Amino acid sequence: MQFMLLFSRQGKLRLQKWYVPLSDKEKKKITRELVQTVLARKPKMCSFLEWRDLKIVYKRYASLYFCCAIEDQDNELITLEIIHRYVELLDKYFGSVCELDIIFNFEKAYFILDEFLLGGEAQETSKKNVLKAIEQADLLQEVRHMKQRLPAASSRRSDLHKPLRDDRPKHTHTQPDH
Amino acid sequence: MPAPIRLRELIRTIRTARTQAEEREMIQKECAAIRSSFREEDNTYRCRNVAKLLYMHMLGYPAHFGQLECLKLIASQKFTDKRIGYLGAMLLLDERQDVHLLMTNCIKNDLNHSTQYVQGLSLCTLGCMGSSEMCRDLAGEVEKLLKTSNSYLRKKAALCAVHVIRKVPELMEMFLPATKNLLSEKNHGVLHTSVVLLTEMCERSPDMLSHFRKLVPQLVRILKNLIMSGYSPEHDVSGISDPFLQVRILRLLRILGKGDDDSSEAMNDILAQVATNTETSKNVGNAILYETVLTIMDIKSESGLRVLAINILGRFLLNNDKNIRYVALTSLLKTVQTDHNAVQRHRSTIVDCLKDLDVSIKRRAMELSFALVNGNNIRGMMKELLYFLDSCDPDFKADCASGIFLAAEKYAPSKRWHIDTVMRVLTTAGSYVRDDSVPNLIQLITNSVEMHAYTVQRLYKALLDDISQQPLVQVASWCIGEYGDLLVSGQCEEEEPIQVSEDEVLDVLEGLLVSNLSTPVTRAYSLTAIMKLSTRFSSVNRIKKVVSIYGSSIDVELQQRAVEYNALFKKYDHMRPALLERMPIMEKTATNGPTDIAQTNGETDSTILDTKHLPSITHPASQVGRCNYHICFCLAGIPPMTAYNKNGLKIEFTFERSNPSPNIAVITIHATNSTEADMTEFVFQAAVPKTFQLQLLSPSSNVVPALNQGSVTQVIRVLNPQKQQLRMRIKLTYTHKGSPVQDLAEVNNFPPQSWQ
């Protein structure tokens, strides 16, 4: 994986993890272009697109887009699973995670990501182990930051409160073999 | 000074901003506060301030003044500080900054820290963004950690090692000993990262690859255990045990098995097992199947397994999930060359995908369709492809049109069908057709002698409908210029001949000259066409008038042509019929398709002695490879010359200038034989001085018939960038009356216009 971006439906960046060395300017340019491209996709289109010389895998969970750039030899379908696993981790940690959680606790979202992926590859395939490590590390913190519970009605946009669930209808059954 | 506001407070405040300007103001205010806090070297709140800075950085605001602070946080003893410090380093620093290197010492210390979570932080940072220098300095530490028994650290060290190897490939050797028993680990995290490390090493070094081949049985065993073992809650994803690990193992097996019979055989069974037993109802199962298929196709698997793999892809094509269909098409595209027949079986499903709504799926389906076209299915496939051409996005039309032309050329069941297909493309997607298709099509039309009348009639009718599509107009003008006489005499056999007069034809061509829709190139085509009609039509005066008007055209190209044609009428009227006569059948030498997959036969030109291939002479706009036709649109009037005349063998050179490139002279040799016996096995060879480059295309035949009953023609292209005087040495070999003859000669009498 070369990079992972999380952004809202309005194109606001919520998380950016780069696994390749690029200047700030280049990162901004890529982010801008890619966000535009992905937001322009219609809901019925598939989760993969070719962009420059990379494969882009993206998935929308409620109001957040999770977008990964992978290389030619990487498996797109398993990348979708990687994205899903990350969402599950966030969900378990925050308890029914929604976009606001990630906005207010972005550093924690990074910590969790860094316990799951390293250098763009999965370092731990057990959900339990990732969460355990985060828990232990949190205990080491001298200054405990309580997980920020969300201000309820003060938020203007309600979809920020929506728990991150896979937004696409499930196509799980293949047609019978001919 | 009051304590700096908390991170969450800041976030909440910034989010209340109603406008961009308001937000910017808040940010600036806070940045100022943070700056002064940094200046005061405040240890207590440094962490909080950097965290706030990181938030503002994510919003797009500059945060470089926090870089050094991140380093201070990393150096702190407090875990909270380190956590934010390392995060800040990963977000704000990259290897281009010098500050970056200052981290090295801190990371080194932290790699040896007593707390594994600190070690983890430093491993993560190094593995994510360590520069080559840092990697060089710290590789030893990473290697040490790779051998630890602590699986938490070992798995991280493995991925860190991957990064080190990517940055400094020479260091790969030093990690070799540590890989010895990586696969004996029970811990899935370590297993997964170890497989990634082994994969990286095998991809980079053939020696490593051979070395690690012995791991195949072990990998097969691990994979088997994953599939056979019962439910393992820790690693289960929808009923499948650790799909991430399965996929990585399959990928490593692919690399190890490629090109190696023994390894491929050792993994045959497990691949079959995975392929048949994996649950396909969810994406995760399909992810594993996908990887399995890729592996089966890449290694030396037995044919039964390959068929199994293709069938899996075929089932994927029928899946409701678009992602699966997309992946299937991509994989089929990769295998269509090697397992052509197996893929053919799924042709109708693939063709259905042309109607998919998703752009990426459509593109792949199109490429695959072209790869599957053959003599048997050409009619059916072409119908689908033409329909697709009609309705697809403009981005596709150029590639689709080129693909159709190529397929039609290879497999056309009849000339009439071919012309009709070409016409259909020109009329429906005429403006998207690539520029170099025009000469291709002209050549096709010229060579379909019996279809000339039909073709010119259809093209003429198309022009009456629409003159906006330039490639169509250009081909049509050319044809009318060539075959206008057939048009007015109503000789069409294939369909009802239309009644059209010379004046009507000239009206149309003149209309092209004046229309705003016509590009300069198109105008040139129509002027030349009008000129050619002067030998085919009787209304010569009208043509003379048109030609003389354009003698003062603003367009230089047009003006030049008109002036030359005028001259043709005035001074060289005796040459006019010969110059404007029908084009002979043209030789085709080589074409390359627009896609990698649809390839025609290779080139057939010959080179000899110290000649070299000419560089690719492509139209700047074209993405297609070489098109070596000599088509003269511009009759530059270089007189022919006799290059050789001895023992009954006479060789004449005629000249053309290659339009896109005036440094290239195109010479056609005409060899005739005035003796009573044929000259067989005739070979013409040429060599030029070093400042030139020469390319010899295939001869029309190698028998020069006796008594001047025919000629052998061959095209020579000479690149003369320095515009030096053209000289050539020729060598002739042939068999005459049973005995071999060989002769060398110098050709020095090239007319100046041929090289100036």
Side-chain angles (χ1 to χ4, degrees):
Chain A
M1 195 184 298
Q2 289 206 0
F3 57 85
M4 182 191 281
L5 304 172
L6 265 68
F7 50 90
S8 71
R9 277 206 281 207
Q10 286 73 38
K12 282 220 123 122
L13 200 59
R14 298 301 180 206
L15 189 143
Q16 50 173 334
K17 189 75 190 178
W18 298 85
Y19 296 110
V20 287
L22 289 166
S23 73
D24 231 19
K25 200 164 135 198
E26 287 168 317
K27 286 182 193 167
K28 282 210 168 110
K29 181 159 182 252
I30 290 175
T31 306
R32 204 175 36 238
E33 274 180 39
L34 200 50
V35 167
Q36 227 174 15
T37 309
V38 171
L39 289 177
R41 301 273 287 181
K42 305 196 187 65
K44 286 256 159 54
M45 297 177 110
C46 74
S47 298
F48 315 127
L49 58 106
E50 297 101 25
W51 185 80
R52 301 198 184 178
D53 60 339
L54 295 169
K55 298 199 277 199
I56 305 291
V57 179
Y58 72 93
K59 199 163 175 192
R60 186 160 81 90
Y61 286 83
S63 55
L64 264 186
Y65 281 90
F66 288 70
C67 183
C68 297
I70 58 174
E71 288 165 355
D72 212 42
Q73 62 272 44
D74 294 325
N75 181 327
E76 294 96 319
L77 298 179
I78 207 76
T79 308
L80 281 174
E81 294 299 320
I82 298 247
I83 293 176
H84 192 72
R85 174 56 64 89
Y86 182 46
V87 173
E88 285 180 321
L89 290 167
L90 291 169
D91 200 48
K92 219 38 199 284
Y93 183 79
F94 287 104
S96 202
V97 69
C98 62
E99 190 182 344
L100 267 181
D101 285 315
I102 299 184
I103 293 172
F104 276 90
N105 303 284
F106 71 95
E107 85 278 14
K108 295 208 167 48
Y110 275 109
F111 296 153
I112 295 170
L113 186 61
D114 286 339
E115 274 303 323
F116 175 41
L117 302 177
L118 198 157
E121 303 281 351
Q123 59 180 285
E124 180 57 67
T125 56
S126 150
K127 229 188 305 190
K128 190 177 83 176
N129 287 350
V130 177
L131 291 166
K132 201 161 63 169
I134 292 285
E135 230 173 282
Q136 299 285 358
D138 279 352
L139 286 172
L140 282 182
Q141 290 217 172
E142 296 83 356
V143 186
R144 308 280 188 79
H145 296 130
M146 297 306 287
K147 271 174 262 180
Q148 187 73 22
R149 266 291 100 180
L150 316 163
S154 62
S155 257
R156 270 167 280 134
R157 281 186 252 112
S158 64
D159 54 332
L160 292 169
H161 285 269
K162 261 207 266 188
L164 298 188
R165 294 282 176 268
D166 184 352
D167 224 35
R168 284 158 50 107
K170 289 218 175 349
H171 294 294
T172 53
H173 301 291
T174 55
Q175 290 184 9
D177 281 5
H178 295 293
Chain B
M1 175 145 199
I5 69 170
R6 293 176 182 274
L7 170 65
R8 322 276 176 225
E9 195 57 49
L10 177 70
I11 297 177
R12 203 191 326 244
T13 312
I14 291 178
R15 286 176 61 76
T16 62
R18 270 179 248 267
T19 65
Q20 184 77 340
E22 212 181 313
E23 182 184 278
R24 215 174 311 138
E25 214 184 293
M26 291 179 185
I27 301 263
Q28 272 171 359
K29 192 165 139 209
E30 185 57 35
C31 277
I34 292 177
R35 274 189 151 107
S36 23
S37 185
F38 283 164
R39 267 198 297 270
E40 286 171 21
E41 295 283 339
D42 185 322
N43 287 337
T44 328
Y45 295 114
R46 182 175 289 124
C47 178
R48 183 185 292 183
N49 284 328
V50 169
K52 287 187 288 186
L53 202 55
L54 293 179
Y55 178 73
M56 295 189 286
H57 177 251
M58 182 140 66
L59 293 179
Y61 296 93
H64 44 269
F65 57 90
Q67 286 169 0
L68 271 171
E69 302 301 314
C70 293
L71 292 181
K72 292 180 194 161
L73 283 175
I74 291 173
S76 156
Q77 290 310 311
K78 301 213 290 229
F79 183 70
T80 317
D81 283 354
K82 283 190 192 285
R83 237 184 169 184
I84 295 289
Y86 276 116
L87 179 62
M90 285 193 275
L91 288 175
L92 299 182
L93 295 171
D94 65 70
E95 55 181 63
R96 292 134 194 270
Q97 276 124 12
D98 303 322
V99 184
H100 172 87
L101 275 172
L102 296 173
M103 269 201 293
T104 313
N105 222 33
C106 283
I107 293 186
K108 186 168 191 173
N109 290 336
D110 282 344
L111 283 174
N112 293 306
H113 203 274
S114 48
T115 311
Q116 68 174 16
Y117 296 106
V118 173
Q119 288 174 292
L121 283 177
S122 52
L123 275 170
C124 179
T125 307
L126 181 60
C128 179
M129 42 94 72
S131 64
S132 322
E133 298 89 63
M134 276 173 73
C135 288
R136 243 184 262 271
D137 287 339
L138 300 170
E141 306 296 325
V142 176
E143 198 259 344
K144 232 171 31 190
L145 288 170
L146 193 51
K147 297 194 282 214
T148 176
S149 53
N150 179 338
S151 48
Y152 177 78
L153 292 174
R154 208 169 181 203
K155 70 188 187 196
K156 290 181 192 270
L159 288 181
C160 201
V162 171
H163 179 83
V164 169
I165 292 173
R166 285 192 183 145
K167 284 295 190 183
V168 193
E170 307 92 70
L171 292 175
M172 183 162 43
E173 289 288 330
M174 84 183 271
F175 293 106
L176 189 53
T179 62
K180 216 154 163 200
N181 41 22
L182 275 178
L183 290 184
S184 343
E185 263 276 1
K186 289 277 178 267
N187 180 298
H188 280 226
V190 177
L191 271 177
H192 186 271
T193 58
S194 303
V195 173
V196 174
L197 175 58
L198 291 169
T199 307
E200 185 71 28
M201 292 168 92
C202 290
E203 276 175 341
R204 285 191 177 262
S205 153
D207 290 330
M208 290 286 180
L209 181 55
S210 343
H211 172 82
F212 285 126
R213 276 224 174 88
K214 61 177 192 263
L215 293 175
V216 170
Q218 206 172 358
L219 288 165
V220 168
R221 237 182 353 255
I222 298 173
L223 190 52
K224 194 166 193 154
N225 283 337
L226 286 173
I227 304 170
M228 305 296 275
S229 70
Y231 175 73
S232 152
E234 200 176 327
H235 297 109
D236 180 271
V237 180
S238 303
I240 296 181
S241 190
D242 206 338
F244 305 107
L245 181 56
Q246 287 195 36
V247 165
R248 280 324 293 235
I249 292 179
L250 286 164
R251 185 162 149 184
L252 180 55
L253 286 175
R254 175 155 82 245
I255 296 171
L256 294 173
K258 190 168 185 169
D260 188 83
D261 287 318
D262 293 328
S263 304
S264 300
E265 209 193 306
M267 55 180 83
N268 212 57
D269 285 345
I270 191 68
L271 290 174
Q273 213 178 348
V274 176
T276 42
N277 289 345
T278 307
E279 187 59 48
T280 59
S281 57
K282 296 254 172 106
N283 179 63
V284 59
N286 289 323
I288 294 175
L289 279 176
Y290 175 37
E291 196 74 36
T292 311
V293 166
L294 291 176
T295 301
I296 292 174
M297 301 316 291
D298 244 14
I299 64 169
K300 300 189 149 210
S301 41
E302 43 179 64
S303 60
L305 200 54
R306 293 183 88 85
V307 171
L308 178 59
I310 303 260
N311 288 345
I312 291 176
L313 291 179
R315 275 207 306 280
F316 274 8
L317 281 179
L318 299 168
N319 198 309
N320 280 334
D321 188 339
K322 277 192 195 303
N323 294 336
I324 309 287
R325 292 209 297 276
Y326 174 94
V327 144
L329 286 170
T330 312
S331 314
L332 284 169
L333 211 50
K334 289 194 197 137
T335 67
V336 71
Q337 297 297 353
T338 44
D339 295 84
H340 192 91
N341 291 333
V343 181
Q344 276 284 2
R345 257 180 258 134
H346 301 279
R347 195 180 68 245
S348 50
T349 324
I350 292 169
V351 167
D352 281 341
C353 290
L354 285 172
K355 305 192 180 87
D356 204 298
L357 293 165
D358 185 300
V359 164
S360 312
I361 290 182
K362 274 205 277 225
R363 176 165 283 279
R364 273 163 173 62
M366 180 183 83
E367 287 175 18
L368 205 45
S369 300
F370 281 125
L372 291 174
V373 171
N374 64 25
N376 294 330
N377 58 35
I378 178 76
R379 283 189 195 266
M381 287 295 274
M382 198 51 83
K383 237 196 275 197
E384 298 282 352
L385 288 166
L386 284 169
Y387 180 74
F388 176 68
L389 182 66
D390 271 340
S391 51
C392 69
D393 296 333
D395 313 329
F396 285 91
K397 292 210 194 230
D399 285 333
C400 189
S402 300
I404 289 178
F405 285 149
L406 213 65
E409 202 176 294
K410 275 171 96 166
Y411 302 112
S414 74
K415 290 237 153 115
R416 160 91 191 251
W417 181 94
H418 197 169
I419 303 267
D420 282 342
T421 305
V422 162
M423 289 290 312
R424 174 86 182 266
V425 174
L426 284 179
T427 47
T428 53
S431 33
Y432 298 99
V433 159
R434 292 209 168 88
D435 290 343
D436 60 353
S437 311
V438 173
N440 287 4
L441 295 175
I442 286 177
Q443 202 222 22
L444 163 69
I445 293 170
T446 310
N447 292 352
S448 316
V449 179
E450 62 279 17
M451 304 295 300
H452 284 169
Y454 172 70
T455 311
V456 69
Q457 177 163 300
R458 285 210 59 189
L459 283 168
Y460 178 77
K461 286 203 273 194
L463 271 191
L464 292 177
D465 272 337
D466 173 18
I467 59 167
S468 65
Q469 304 192 87
Q470 300 305 293
L472 171 63
V473 174
Q474 287 167 12
V475 174
S477 321
W478 191 92
C479 278
I480 295 174
E482 278 292 299
Y483 312 120
D485 49 325
L486 300 176
L487 186 59
V488 297
S489 62
Q491 283 184 27
C492 183
E493 282 171 6
E494 299 281 340
E495 63 174 23
E496 185 71 37
I498 57 172
Q499 310 286 9
V500 60
S501 70
E502 290 185 3
D503 276 324
E504 285 171 316
V505 173
L506 288 171
D507 282 342
V508 168
L509 287 176
E510 282 189 52
L512 294 176
L513 275 174
V514 300
S515 166
N516 286 332
L517 296 168
S518 298
T519 61
V521 172
T522 306
R523 292 205 176 92
Y525 269 85
S526 38
L527 186 63
T528 306
I530 292 175
M531 185 59 192
K532 285 193 211 170
L533 290 174
S534 72
T535 53
R536 295 158 174 72
F537 282 5
S538 51
S539 14
V540 182
N541 286 326
R542 176 170 176 182
I543 294 174
K544 270 195 201 165
K545 234 192 283 187
V546 173
V547 164
S548 68
I549 291 173
Y550 281 89
S552 44
S553 162
I554 304 177
D555 181 336
V556 175
E557 175 71 31
L558 225 46
Q559 191 193 106
Q560 180 180 351
R561 285 175 190 239
V563 165
E564 286 172 0
Y565 296 159
N566 248 332
L568 210 50
F569 274 124
K570 301 224 171 76
K571 287 206 286 183
Y572 299 99
D573 206 41
H574 56 284
M575 286 175 70
R576 191 163 49 89
L579 280 171
L580 300 178
E581 74 177 3
R582 273 267 208 283
M583 278 293 181
I585 297 197
M586 294 179 220
E587 267 168 39
K588 194 127 92 89
T589 45
T591 47
N592 285 340
T595 62
D596 295 325
I597 295 157
Q599 271 170 15
T600 49
N601 350 319
E603 299 172 82
T604 52
D605 43 34
S606 50
T607 49
I608 56 118
L609 305 175
D610 49 315
T611 61
K612 289 193 206 118
H613 272 292
L614 276 170
S616 197
I617 303 158
T618 45
H619 226 282
S622 128
Q623 293 156 23
V624 178
R626 267 173 250 202
C627 285
N628 300 322
Y629 306 112
H630 60 289
I631 296 182
C632 53
F633 300 115
C634 181
L635 307 172
I638 303 173
M641 60 174 263
T642 305
Y644 178 91
N645 194 350
K646 220 159 108 176
N647 300 330
L649 175 62
K650 179 162 140 189
I651 301 193
E652 277 202 331
F653 284 4
T654 57
F655 302 90
E656 296 125 36
R657 268 290 154 81
S658 173
N659 246 345
S661 190
N663 288 338
I664 297 171
V666 180
I667 305 171
T668 309
I669 70 149
H670 306 260
T672 49
N673 167 12
S674 62
T675 70
E676 318 136 345
D678 291 345
M679 292 172 177
T680 57
E681 290 162 63
F682 176 77
V683 174
F684 172 89
Q685 295 174 309
V688 288
K690 286 215 179 73
T691 51
F692 301 87
Q693 279 185 357
L694 181 143
Q695 184 183 26
L696 210 52
L697 308 184
S698 313
S700 59
S701 94
N702 60 356
V703 175
V704 193
L707 302 171
N708 294 324
Q709 279 171 25
S711 66
V712 165
T713 56
Q714 191 165 8
V715 175
I716 310 172
R717 305 177 79 173
V718 184
L719 178 65
N720 183 6
Q722 296 174 24
K723 295 233 189 275
Q724 296 200 341
Q725 177 172 17
L726 190 50
R727 288 182 355 248
M728 199 183 279
R729 183 176 301 153
I730 63 176
K731 177 172 168 184
L732 308 158
T733 50
Y734 55 92
T735 304
H736 190 234
K737 293 183 181 159
S739 8
V741 180
Q742 189 178 299
D743 199 9
L744 283 168
E746 292 265 357
V747 183
N748 289 320
N749 54 332
F750 285 96
Q753 305 100 301
S754 66
W755 48 268
Q756 264 168 0

